[in-house]
Amino acid sequence: MPPIVELRGITKSFGGVRANDHVDLDLEPGRIHAVLGANGAGKSTLMSILAGSYARDAGDIRLRGLSVRFHSPADALRAGIGMVHQHPMLFGGMTVLENLAVGDRSIPWALRQPKLRRRAAALADGLGFRLRPDVRAGDLSVAEQQQVDILRNLAREVAVLILDEPTAVLTPQETEGLFVTLRALAAGGTALVFISHKLEEVREIAHQITVLRDGRVVHTGPAVGCTPDEIVAHMMGDAGHPGEASPRPNPSGEPAAQLRDIQTSDRRAAVLFGVNLEVLPGEILGVAGLAGAGQSALAEVMAGLLAPSGGAVLIGRKDMTGRPSRHFRRSGVRFVPGDRRGRGLAADLTLAENSVMTWLGHPRLGRGPILSRGAVRRFGADLAEAEGIEPGDPGRPVRLLSGGNMQRLLVGRETREPPRLLIAEYPLRGLDARATRFVRARLQGLASSGTAIVLISEDVDDLLALSDRIVVLARGRIVAERRPASTNRLQLGRDMMGQERGG
Amino acid sequence: MSAAAVILRRACRDLAVIAGAVGTVLLACHVVLGAAGIHGAGACAALFRESLGTRYGFSESVVKATPLMLAGLAVAVAFRMRLWNIGGEGQLYAGALAAAWVALFLPRCGIPRVMLMLPAACAAGAAWALAPGILKASLGVSEILVTLMGNYLAMLLADHLCYGPWKGSTTFGFPMSDRFPADADLPTYAGTRVHGGLAIALIGAVLLWALLWRTRWGFQVRVAGSNARAAEYAGYRIRRDVVVVMLISGALAGLAGGVEMAGVLHRLQPRFSPGYGYTAILVAWLARLHPLAIPPVALFLGMLLTGGEQLQVSAGVPSSLVDILQGLILFLALAAEAFLRRRHGEARHPELSGSPAVEGSGD
């Protein structure tokens, strides 16, 4: 059957970074096409271009052989391309039926609901959904919301349906139900795009597999006969070398920090289910995982910013569970947050003011309650010079700094004196080569001087190069512990994607 | 280009903007008031002549500016921490009630009553702001709603006292208290109604500036106002600081009510404030929440109020048209200020740019 959608040479850059580089992709009616790739491989960008959220820089989208250009998701939807998001985008305060009616201009407003009620009921029956049209969407389970999101697209008679990690929010039983639906849709002639990190699922449901790496298509072909190991190999590239043996003395002594059976129940997506962890003085403990596996919750629990709902946090021998973060700081815990502007810095304040933000009690800054302007300025100027922040004007607002220089400021501030425990969340993200070397050397130097470091990263190479030990976090649990000397990218990749087999 | 040339060019540009704003005001007044048969530009000029040009007018402007300064400081300190205390009016009334109580009912004791009235006003204003502060800090209840409701509570309480228990015996049946005893008066300057509250307000502005910009605690408040999540991250005691800032804010607003009692009115009247607590919000924003900018801005607003009153008396301009005139002037002052700031390369009010930009996200 001829493809209904042909993507040809799709290219998209964000600030000099190529998110998609000449990507080709064919979607055929009645087929389920899985798109795979590690974090940052370009899957979401590609799908956003297809669904009309982003404009492409170059390349062509052909729909039924005709070149098209979408200016908005509504545009794409009118053309018959719909998208179901990972977190269903519904109006929680409106009923299911009202949600289905929103934006559907094919029927006059007054007739919309009765007509939709019949149409949706018919569609739902065909897919085996138990539709509750008059319930508020916010009161439905996530799986039901997803069904509504799917129905909303089907009611618009889409020919292409993109599902962005639809199973990430579902239980195994709900996933089975979704697969029944997807097969029914494919049987009815819809072209489906299925994005997932779970290789078993992909092998179960997909007809066709395309793997992206660094914005390029590295593999495309039928799903039959494609083993999980092959897929991981495509996603991760070559196996790479085992990590170099650490030149530092072996970490030893009592743990600087321990997590015991930590649970978190946050309303935000990522939660932890019974995490046990310890980190020794002088040790760099790498934490690997796909985005949203619970890294942020882990970091915030260790820094005292998120109180766990179960379990205990020990800093040294002291039980710090439930204590405010300033007690953690007082015990020598420092945190370089991944969200630099949102968490780590006050962007409207000056470089100097940001440099003293976590050192307010420092005697250099003034007597008693007084904060000396000049001392703050000197503090900032010293830090800017020591860390090579450009421009180093202490009176400049931090928001005018580049991302790399913000990171230098943040890392420099938190490691001004070697802490007992440093939690570094994505410390190398977005840095250029020089800044990367700088931060890497800083982390290694700190570990040599006895600091325990928890290094959270999405870059497996960084973890292999820097860590003494790597734990892998997946869906809120630690699923594996590896030594860099005896593991490689492929094995970590399998761990991160929840592959049970050892390697 | 040399620095001096840059500064000169900027100054020229700023002057052009200001001239443009003044011209627009005159034109707008001319059109709007002209429709009502009044010479608009002339009325506009008269407004400023009445409030600036005469000794009496200027002193009256200062009298009106005094409570605006204190209440403006109250709003500014709270807004600095993004606590939207719009209960300045209620806290002002609470302060006035406490001051009036001291003046009316406290038996004579060695010290002049005015020395006790002002601390009592501070305490009452702070108490009025305490409940919203605690609710905000402990339960996250919106301080906007609670402080706003506090306004009605305080105003109605003042009404009740004036019509009921505190109604004077020498007021010919009018709903107000008796005049306070003489030792409840603030000193005045040289035959005008300008009183000691002005000095208090100016000192208050300097103290508040020092507190926010020269102490470790003030630094924490400014960080919390710039990015609350960063303040939490840095380990500041934000909940406690929320309550403390609300107390300071309430105390300053209460003091505004206290000096109005002791300095100007010398008796409690219902609805004695022409919305000082609300106008103070305008003062604080126009001063960009900077304590040292508040006195001049408050004086500007005081001039508008005084000039408007005089215009009604001397030129017989109806009060509704005076309100329109004041609104036009204020509107264009705000527009010019925003325009000047944009020109100087500041995209937005830093205090307003709330949502932190999200850095690059992965798939």
Side-chain angles (χ1 to χ4, degrees), chain A residues 403-436:
Chain A
N405 281 301
M406 283 190 195
Q407 189 67 350
R408 284 168 184 253
L409 169 58
L410 202 49
V411 171
R413 183 183 73 196
E414 295 308 299
T415 60
R416 196 174 177 277
E417 291 164 11
R420 177 192 220 167
L421 170 67
L422 177 72
I423 304 146
E425 194 184 0
Y426 309 117
L428 303 170
R429 185 156 71 187
L431 300 191
D432 61 24
R434 210 170 117 244
T436 301

PDB file of all heavy atoms in Angstrom, chain A residues 403-436:
ATOM      1  N   GLY A 403      23.873  30.326  29.344  1.00  0.00           N
ATOM      2  CA  GLY A 403      23.609  29.132  30.145  1.00  0.00           C
ATOM      3  C   GLY A 403      24.878  28.554  30.744  1.00  0.00           C
ATOM      4  O   GLY A 403      24.912  28.163  31.912  1.00  0.00           O
ATOM      5  N   GLY A 404      25.951  28.514  29.937  1.00  0.00           N
ATOM      6  CA  GLY A 404      27.204  27.963  30.431  1.00  0.00           C
ATOM      7  C   GLY A 404      27.770  28.770  31.587  1.00  0.00           C
ATOM      8  O   GLY A 404      28.271  28.222  32.563  1.00  0.00           O
ATOM      9  N   ASN A 405      27.656  30.097  31.474  1.00  0.00           N
ATOM     10  CA  ASN A 405      28.182  30.936  32.542  1.00  0.00           C
ATOM     11  C   ASN A 405      27.307  30.886  33.789  1.00  0.00           C
ATOM     12  O   ASN A 405      27.813  30.985  34.907  1.00  0.00           O
ATOM     13  CB  ASN A 405      28.357  32.371  32.046  1.00  0.00           C
ATOM     14  CG  ASN A 405      29.611  32.519  31.224  1.00  0.00           C
ATOM     15  OD1 ASN A 405      30.713  32.252  31.706  1.00  0.00           O
ATOM     16  ND2 ASN A 405      29.461  32.892  29.966  1.00  0.00           N
ATOM     17  N   MET A 406      26.001  30.735  33.593  1.00  0.00           N
ATOM     18  CA  MET A 406      25.139  30.508  34.757  1.00  0.00           C
ATOM     19  C   MET A 406      25.589  29.247  35.491  1.00  0.00           C
ATOM     20  O   MET A 406      25.638  29.196  36.714  1.00  0.00           O
ATOM     21  CB  MET A 406      23.690  30.312  34.316  1.00  0.00           C
ATOM     22  CG  MET A 406      22.972  31.577  33.943  1.00  0.00           C
ATOM     23  SD  MET A 406      21.215  31.193  33.740  1.00  0.00           S
ATOM     24  CE  MET A 406      20.678  32.649  32.875  1.00  0.00           C
ATOM     25  N   GLN A 407      25.931  28.224  34.714  1.00  0.00           N
ATOM     26  CA  GLN A 407      26.322  26.967  35.317  1.00  0.00           C
ATOM     27  C   GLN A 407      27.642  27.118  36.077  1.00  0.00           C
ATOM     28  O   GLN A 407      27.803  26.579  37.158  1.00  0.00           O
ATOM     29  CB  GLN A 407      26.438  25.881  34.241  1.00  0.00           C
ATOM     30  CG  GLN A 407      26.633  24.486  34.767  1.00  0.00           C
ATOM     31  CD  GLN A 407      25.411  23.986  35.500  1.00  0.00           C
ATOM     32  OE1 GLN A 407      24.475  24.726  35.785  1.00  0.00           O
ATOM     33  NE2 GLN A 407      25.422  22.721  35.851  1.00  0.00           N
ATOM     34  N   ARG A 408      28.589  27.886  35.516  1.00  0.00           N
ATOM     35  CA  ARG A 408      29.834  28.125  36.223  1.00  0.00           C
ATOM     36  C   ARG A 408      29.570  28.815  37.547  1.00  0.00           C
ATOM     37  O   ARG A 408      30.171  28.485  38.573  1.00  0.00           O
ATOM     38  CB  ARG A 408      30.757  29.017  35.384  1.00  0.00           C
ATOM     39  CG  ARG A 408      31.429  28.294  34.244  1.00  0.00           C
ATOM     40  CD  ARG A 408      32.070  29.299  33.303  1.00  0.00           C
ATOM     41  NE  ARG A 408      32.642  28.629  32.146  1.00  0.00           N
ATOM     42  CZ  ARG A 408      33.958  28.479  31.955  1.00  0.00           C
ATOM     43  NH1 ARG A 408      34.806  28.956  32.830  1.00  0.00           N
ATOM     44  NH2 ARG A 408      34.407  27.849  30.898  1.00  0.00           N
ATOM     45  N   LEU A 409      28.667  29.784  37.503  1.00  0.00           N
ATOM     46  CA  LEU A 409      28.323  30.513  38.725  1.00  0.00           C
ATOM     47  C   LEU A 409      27.730  29.564  39.761  1.00  0.00           C
ATOM     48  O   LEU A 409      28.109  29.562  40.933  1.00  0.00           O
ATOM     49  CB  LEU A 409      27.326  31.628  38.371  1.00  0.00           C
ATOM     50  CG  LEU A 409      26.622  32.350  39.508  1.00  0.00           C
ATOM     51  CD1 LEU A 409      27.618  32.990  40.449  1.00  0.00           C
ATOM     52  CD2 LEU A 409      25.699  33.432  38.949  1.00  0.00           C
ATOM     53  N   LEU A 410      26.817  28.736  39.298  1.00  0.00           N
ATOM     54  CA  LEU A 410      26.116  27.831  40.206  1.00  0.00           C
ATOM     55  C   LEU A 410      27.080  26.809  40.807  1.00  0.00           C
ATOM     56  O   LEU A 410      27.132  26.606  42.027  1.00  0.00           O
ATOM     57  CB  LEU A 410      25.020  27.130  39.403  1.00  0.00           C
ATOM     58  CG  LEU A 410      23.839  26.528  40.109  1.00  0.00           C
ATOM     59  CD1 LEU A 410      23.254  27.509  41.084  1.00  0.00           C
ATOM     60  CD2 LEU A 410      22.788  26.159  39.065  1.00  0.00           C
ATOM     61  N   VAL A 411      27.868  26.168  39.937  1.00  0.00           N
ATOM     62  CA  VAL A 411      28.800  25.155  40.420  1.00  0.00           C
ATOM     63  C   VAL A 411      29.847  25.801  41.321  1.00  0.00           C
ATOM     64  O   VAL A 411      30.169  25.303  42.404  1.00  0.00           O
ATOM     65  CB  VAL A 411      29.471  24.428  39.236  1.00  0.00           C
ATOM     66  CG1 VAL A 411      30.601  23.534  39.722  1.00  0.00           C
ATOM     67  CG2 VAL A 411      28.444  23.609  38.472  1.00  0.00           C
ATOM     68  N   GLY A 412      30.357  26.957  40.893  1.00  0.00           N
ATOM     69  CA  GLY A 412      31.376  27.630  41.678  1.00  0.00           C
ATOM     70  C   GLY A 412      30.855  28.028  43.047  1.00  0.00           C
ATOM     71  O   GLY A 412      31.539  27.876  44.059  1.00  0.00           O
ATOM     72  N   ARG A 413      29.632  28.530  43.083  1.00  0.00           N
ATOM     73  CA  ARG A 413      29.068  28.960  44.349  1.00  0.00           C
ATOM     74  C   ARG A 413      28.891  27.782  45.294  1.00  0.00           C
ATOM     75  O   ARG A 413      29.241  27.858  46.468  1.00  0.00           O
ATOM     76  CB  ARG A 413      27.707  29.626  44.096  1.00  0.00           C
ATOM     77  CG  ARG A 413      27.068  30.172  45.348  1.00  0.00           C
ATOM     78  CD  ARG A 413      25.711  30.749  45.044  1.00  0.00           C
ATOM     79  NE  ARG A 413      24.749  29.677  44.777  1.00  0.00           N
ATOM     80  CZ  ARG A 413      23.573  29.861  44.189  1.00  0.00           C
ATOM     81  NH1 ARG A 413      23.221  31.057  43.790  1.00  0.00           N
ATOM     82  NH2 ARG A 413      22.763  28.851  43.991  1.00  0.00           N
ATOM     83  N   GLU A 414      28.358  26.700  44.783  1.00  0.00           N
ATOM     84  CA  GLU A 414      28.058  25.571  45.666  1.00  0.00           C
ATOM     85  C   GLU A 414      29.306  24.811  46.089  1.00  0.00           C
ATOM     86  O   GLU A 414      29.279  24.064  47.054  1.00  0.00           O
ATOM     87  CB  GLU A 414      27.059  24.626  44.993  1.00  0.00           C
ATOM     88  CG  GLU A 414      25.694  25.246  44.754  1.00  0.00           C
ATOM     89  CD  GLU A 414      25.100  25.862  46.007  1.00  0.00           C
ATOM     90  OE1 GLU A 414      24.877  25.132  46.986  1.00  0.00           O
ATOM     91  OE2 GLU A 414      24.883  27.098  46.028  1.00  0.00           O
ATOM     92  N   THR A 415      30.410  24.960  45.330  1.00  0.00           N
ATOM     93  CA  THR A 415      31.620  24.215  45.689  1.00  0.00           C
ATOM     94  C   THR A 415      32.726  25.149  46.151  1.00  0.00           C
ATOM     95  O   THR A 415      33.896  24.806  46.115  1.00  0.00           O
ATOM     96  CB  THR A 415      32.123  23.392  44.485  1.00  0.00           C
ATOM     97  OG1 THR A 415      32.419  24.285  43.411  1.00  0.00           O
ATOM     98  CG2 THR A 415      31.080  22.411  44.023  1.00  0.00           C
ATOM     99  N   ARG A 416      32.324  26.338  46.590  1.00  0.00           N
ATOM    100  CA  ARG A 416      33.296  27.322  47.037  1.00  0.00           C
ATOM    101  C   ARG A 416      34.174  26.737  48.136  1.00  0.00           C
ATOM    102  O   ARG A 416      35.371  26.961  48.194  1.00  0.00           O
ATOM    103  CB  ARG A 416      32.527  28.523  47.579  1.00  0.00           C
ATOM    104  CG  ARG A 416      33.336  29.742  47.722  1.00  0.00           C
ATOM    105  CD  ARG A 416      32.441  30.900  48.124  1.00  0.00           C
ATOM    106  NE  ARG A 416      33.274  32.062  48.320  1.00  0.00           N
ATOM    107  CZ  ARG A 416      33.925  32.286  49.444  1.00  0.00           C
ATOM    108  NH1 ARG A 416      33.788  31.466  50.460  1.00  0.00           N
ATOM    109  NH2 ARG A 416      34.705  33.337  49.553  1.00  0.00           N
ATOM    110  N   GLU A 417      33.561  26.005  49.030  1.00  0.00           N
ATOM    111  CA  GLU A 417      34.306  25.199  49.995  1.00  0.00           C
ATOM    112  C   GLU A 417      33.878  23.774  49.744  1.00  0.00           C
ATOM    113  O   GLU A 417      32.704  23.526  49.501  1.00  0.00           O
ATOM    114  CB  GLU A 417      33.950  25.618  51.425  1.00  0.00           C
ATOM    115  CG  GLU A 417      34.470  27.002  51.772  1.00  0.00           C
ATOM    116  CD  GLU A 417      33.822  27.586  53.020  1.00  0.00           C
ATOM    117  OE1 GLU A 417      33.125  26.830  53.736  1.00  0.00           O
ATOM    118  OE2 GLU A 417      34.000  28.781  53.263  1.00  0.00           O
ATOM    119  N   PRO A 418      34.823  22.804  49.777  1.00  0.00           N
ATOM    120  CA  PRO A 418      34.422  21.432  49.455  1.00  0.00           C
ATOM    121  C   PRO A 418      33.337  20.953  50.406  1.00  0.00           C
ATOM    122  O   PRO A 418      33.537  20.953  51.610  1.00  0.00           O
ATOM    123  CB  PRO A 418      35.715  20.628  49.653  1.00  0.00           C
ATOM    124  CG  PRO A 418      36.801  21.628  49.555  1.00  0.00           C
ATOM    125  CD  PRO A 418      36.251  22.927  50.049  1.00  0.00           C
ATOM    126  N   PRO A 419      32.166  20.617  49.865  1.00  0.00           N
ATOM    127  CA  PRO A 419      31.093  20.156  50.740  1.00  0.00           C
ATOM    128  C   PRO A 419      31.282  18.702  51.141  1.00  0.00           C
ATOM    129  O   PRO A 419      32.152  18.014  50.608  1.00  0.00           O
ATOM    130  CB  PRO A 419      29.845  20.330  49.883  1.00  0.00           C
ATOM    131  CG  PRO A 419      30.326  20.238  48.484  1.00  0.00           C
ATOM    132  CD  PRO A 419      31.755  20.681  48.462  1.00  0.00           C
ATOM    133  N   ARG A 420      30.462  18.248  52.064  1.00  0.00           N
ATOM    134  CA  ARG A 420      30.488  16.847  52.439  1.00  0.00           C
ATOM    135  C   ARG A 420      29.787  16.015  51.376  1.00  0.00           C
ATOM    136  O   ARG A 420      30.256  14.954  50.993  1.00  0.00           O
ATOM    137  CB  ARG A 420      29.753  16.721  53.767  1.00  0.00           C
ATOM    138  CG  ARG A 420      29.637  15.322  54.262  1.00  0.00           C
ATOM    139  CD  ARG A 420      28.644  15.324  55.418  1.00  0.00           C
ATOM    140  NE  ARG A 420      29.071  14.454  56.493  1.00  0.00           N
ATOM    141  CZ  ARG A 420      28.500  14.482  57.696  1.00  0.00           C
ATOM    142  NH1 ARG A 420      27.556  15.355  57.953  1.00  0.00           N
ATOM    143  NH2 ARG A 420      28.893  13.655  58.622  1.00  0.00           N
ATOM    144  N   LEU A 421      28.659  16.545  50.912  1.00  0.00           N
ATOM    145  CA  LEU A 421      27.886  15.845  49.884  1.00  0.00           C
ATOM    146  C   LEU A 421      27.471  16.858  48.821  1.00  0.00           C
ATOM    147  O   LEU A 421      26.919  17.914  49.151  1.00  0.00           O
ATOM    148  CB  LEU A 421      26.629  15.213  50.493  1.00  0.00           C
ATOM    149  CG  LEU A 421      25.601  14.655  49.502  1.00  0.00           C
ATOM    150  CD1 LEU A 421      26.146  13.450  48.757  1.00  0.00           C
ATOM    151  CD2 LEU A 421      24.304  14.287  50.214  1.00  0.00           C
ATOM    152  N   LEU A 422      27.766  16.550  47.583  1.00  0.00           N
ATOM    153  CA  LEU A 422      27.332  17.420  46.490  1.00  0.00           C
ATOM    154  C   LEU A 422      26.376  16.639  45.602  1.00  0.00           C
ATOM    155  O   LEU A 422      26.702  15.544  45.140  1.00  0.00           O
ATOM    156  CB  LEU A 422      28.531  17.897  45.658  1.00  0.00           C
ATOM    157  CG  LEU A 422      28.166  18.754  44.437  1.00  0.00           C
ATOM    158  CD1 LEU A 422      27.688  20.137  44.873  1.00  0.00           C
ATOM    159  CD2 LEU A 422      29.354  18.893  43.492  1.00  0.00           C
ATOM    160  N   ILE A 423      25.192  17.210  45.388  1.00  0.00           N
ATOM    161  CA  ILE A 423      24.253  16.606  44.462  1.00  0.00           C
ATOM    162  C   ILE A 423      24.283  17.465  43.208  1.00  0.00           C
ATOM    163  O   ILE A 423      23.969  18.658  43.268  1.00  0.00           O
ATOM    164  CB  ILE A 423      22.835  16.578  45.047  1.00  0.00           C
ATOM    165  CG1 ILE A 423      22.858  15.848  46.397  1.00  0.00           C
ATOM    166  CG2 ILE A 423      21.869  15.913  44.094  1.00  0.00           C
ATOM    167  CD1 ILE A 423      21.872  16.398  47.374  1.00  0.00           C
ATOM    168  N   ALA A 424      24.690  16.879  42.110  1.00  0.00           N
ATOM    169  CA  ALA A 424      24.811  17.639  40.865  1.00  0.00           C
ATOM    170  C   ALA A 424      23.839  17.061  39.849  1.00  0.00           C
ATOM    171  O   ALA A 424      23.978  15.930  39.406  1.00  0.00           O
ATOM    172  CB  ALA A 424      26.239  17.575  40.340  1.00  0.00           C
ATOM    173  N   GLU A 425      22.812  17.859  39.525  1.00  0.00           N
ATOM    174  CA  GLU A 425      21.767  17.406  38.618  1.00  0.00           C
ATOM    175  C   GLU A 425      22.054  17.980  37.233  1.00  0.00           C
ATOM    176  O   GLU A 425      22.052  19.193  37.054  1.00  0.00           O
ATOM    177  CB  GLU A 425      20.410  17.890  39.145  1.00  0.00           C
ATOM    178  CG  GLU A 425      19.216  17.226  38.509  1.00  0.00           C
ATOM    179  CD  GLU A 425      17.907  17.840  39.024  1.00  0.00           C
ATOM    180  OE1 GLU A 425      17.951  18.750  39.859  1.00  0.00           O
ATOM    181  OE2 GLU A 425      16.845  17.405  38.560  1.00  0.00           O
ATOM    182  N   TYR A 426      22.323  17.133  36.277  1.00  0.00           N
ATOM    183  CA  TYR A 426      22.652  17.556  34.905  1.00  0.00           C
ATOM    184  C   TYR A 426      23.662  18.701  34.874  1.00  0.00           C
ATOM    185  O   TYR A 426      23.435  19.721  34.224  1.00  0.00           O
ATOM    186  CB  TYR A 426      21.378  17.979  34.154  1.00  0.00           C
ATOM    187  CG  TYR A 426      20.278  16.968  34.220  1.00  0.00           C
ATOM    188  CD1 TYR A 426      19.073  17.261  34.832  1.00  0.00           C
ATOM    189  CD2 TYR A 426      20.463  15.693  33.680  1.00  0.00           C
ATOM    190  CE1 TYR A 426      18.062  16.315  34.908  1.00  0.00           C
ATOM    191  CE2 TYR A 426      19.456  14.745  33.754  1.00  0.00           C
ATOM    192  CZ  TYR A 426      18.257  15.066  34.367  1.00  0.00           C
ATOM    193  OH  TYR A 426      17.265  14.149  34.449  1.00  0.00           O
ATOM    194  N   PRO A 427      24.802  18.562  35.562  1.00  0.00           N
ATOM    195  CA  PRO A 427      25.717  19.708  35.653  1.00  0.00           C
ATOM    196  C   PRO A 427      26.373  20.042  34.318  1.00  0.00           C
ATOM    197  O   PRO A 427      26.892  21.132  34.153  1.00  0.00           O
ATOM    198  CB  PRO A 427      26.766  19.249  36.669  1.00  0.00           C
ATOM    199  CG  PRO A 427      26.754  17.763  36.576  1.00  0.00           C
ATOM    200  CD  PRO A 427      25.334  17.377  36.257  1.00  0.00           C
ATOM    201  N   LEU A 428      26.376  19.116  33.372  1.00  0.00           N
ATOM    202  CA  LEU A 428      27.077  19.350  32.109  1.00  0.00           C
ATOM    203  C   LEU A 428      26.128  19.696  30.974  1.00  0.00           C
ATOM    204  O   LEU A 428      26.567  19.906  29.846  1.00  0.00           O
ATOM    205  CB  LEU A 428      27.888  18.098  31.725  1.00  0.00           C
ATOM    206  CG  LEU A 428      28.894  17.655  32.781  1.00  0.00           C
ATOM    207  CD1 LEU A 428      29.463  16.295  32.437  1.00  0.00           C
ATOM    208  CD2 LEU A 428      30.012  18.671  32.885  1.00  0.00           C
ATOM    209  N   ARG A 429      24.824  19.751  31.287  1.00  0.00           N
ATOM    210  CA  ARG A 429      23.859  19.948  30.207  1.00  0.00           C
ATOM    211  C   ARG A 429      24.025  21.325  29.583  1.00  0.00           C
ATOM    212  O   ARG A 429      24.054  22.340  30.269  1.00  0.00           O
ATOM    213  CB  ARG A 429      22.441  19.784  30.735  1.00  0.00           C
ATOM    214  CG  ARG A 429      21.389  19.859  29.654  1.00  0.00           C
ATOM    215  CD  ARG A 429      20.131  19.146  30.051  1.00  0.00           C
ATOM    216  NE  ARG A 429      19.420  19.858  31.097  1.00  0.00           N
ATOM    217  CZ  ARG A 429      18.355  19.369  31.708  1.00  0.00           C
ATOM    218  NH1 ARG A 429      17.893  18.175  31.398  1.00  0.00           N
ATOM    219  NH2 ARG A 429      17.755  20.058  32.639  1.00  0.00           N
ATOM    220  N   GLY A 430      24.134  21.350  28.280  1.00  0.00           N
ATOM    221  CA  GLY A 430      24.190  22.615  27.553  1.00  0.00           C
ATOM    222  C   GLY A 430      25.517  23.334  27.639  1.00  0.00           C
ATOM    223  O   GLY A 430      25.607  24.501  27.269  1.00  0.00           O
ATOM    224  N   LEU A 431      26.554  22.685  28.130  1.00  0.00           N
ATOM    225  CA  LEU A 431      27.851  23.357  28.229  1.00  0.00           C
ATOM    226  C   LEU A 431      28.688  23.082  26.985  1.00  0.00           C
ATOM    227  O   LEU A 431      28.593  22.014  26.385  1.00  0.00           O
ATOM    228  CB  LEU A 431      28.612  22.860  29.463  1.00  0.00           C
ATOM    229  CG  LEU A 431      27.954  23.076  30.816  1.00  0.00           C
ATOM    230  CD1 LEU A 431      28.927  22.772  31.931  1.00  0.00           C
ATOM    231  CD2 LEU A 431      27.451  24.510  30.934  1.00  0.00           C
ATOM    232  N   ASP A 432      29.530  24.043  26.629  1.00  0.00           N
ATOM    233  CA  ASP A 432      30.440  23.806  25.515  1.00  0.00           C
ATOM    234  C   ASP A 432      31.622  22.971  26.008  1.00  0.00           C
ATOM    235  O   ASP A 432      31.740  22.668  27.201  1.00  0.00           O
ATOM    236  CB  ASP A 432      30.900  25.122  24.891  1.00  0.00           C
ATOM    237  CG  ASP A 432      31.654  25.985  25.885  1.00  0.00           C
ATOM    238  OD1 ASP A 432      32.203  25.438  26.862  1.00  0.00           O
ATOM    239  OD2 ASP A 432      31.677  27.213  25.701  1.00  0.00           O
ATOM    240  N   ALA A 433      32.512  22.610  25.083  1.00  0.00           N
ATOM    241  CA  ALA A 433      33.564  21.659  25.421  1.00  0.00           C
ATOM    242  C   ALA A 433      34.444  22.174  26.554  1.00  0.00           C
ATOM    243  O   ALA A 433      34.803  21.437  27.473  1.00  0.00           O
ATOM    244  CB  ALA A 433      34.404  21.381  24.181  1.00  0.00           C
ATOM    245  N   ARG A 434      34.770  23.480  26.508  1.00  0.00           N
ATOM    246  CA  ARG A 434      35.673  24.014  27.514  1.00  0.00           C
ATOM    247  C   ARG A 434      35.009  23.990  28.891  1.00  0.00           C
ATOM    248  O   ARG A 434      35.616  23.561  29.878  1.00  0.00           O
ATOM    249  CB  ARG A 434      36.044  25.452  27.123  1.00  0.00           C
ATOM    250  CG  ARG A 434      37.415  25.839  27.593  1.00  0.00           C
ATOM    251  CD  ARG A 434      37.844  27.166  26.977  1.00  0.00           C
ATOM    252  NE  ARG A 434      38.019  28.148  28.016  1.00  0.00           N
ATOM    253  CZ  ARG A 434      37.275  29.243  28.134  1.00  0.00           C
ATOM    254  NH1 ARG A 434      36.302  29.468  27.271  1.00  0.00           N
ATOM    255  NH2 ARG A 434      37.496  30.087  29.100  1.00  0.00           N
ATOM    256  N   ALA A 435      33.758  24.437  28.934  1.00  0.00           N
ATOM    257  CA  ALA A 435      33.050  24.464  30.207  1.00  0.00           C
ATOM    258  C   ALA A 435      32.845  23.045  30.733  1.00  0.00           C
ATOM    259  O   ALA A 435      32.906  22.792  31.940  1.00  0.00           O
ATOM    260  CB  ALA A 435      31.711  25.167  30.043  1.00  0.00           C
ATOM    261  N   THR A 436      32.623  22.101  29.825  1.00  0.00           N
ATOM    262  CA  THR A 436      32.444  20.712  30.243  1.00  0.00           C
ATOM    263  C   THR A 436      33.711  20.198  30.930  1.00  0.00           C
ATOM    264  O   THR A 436      33.647  19.607  32.013  1.00  0.00           O
ATOM    265  CB  THR A 436      32.121  19.833  29.019  1.00  0.00           C
ATOM    266  OG1 THR A 436      30.941  20.330  28.415  1.00  0.00           O
ATOM    267  CG2 THR A 436      31.918  18.391  29.430  1.00  0.00           C
TER     268      THR A 436
END
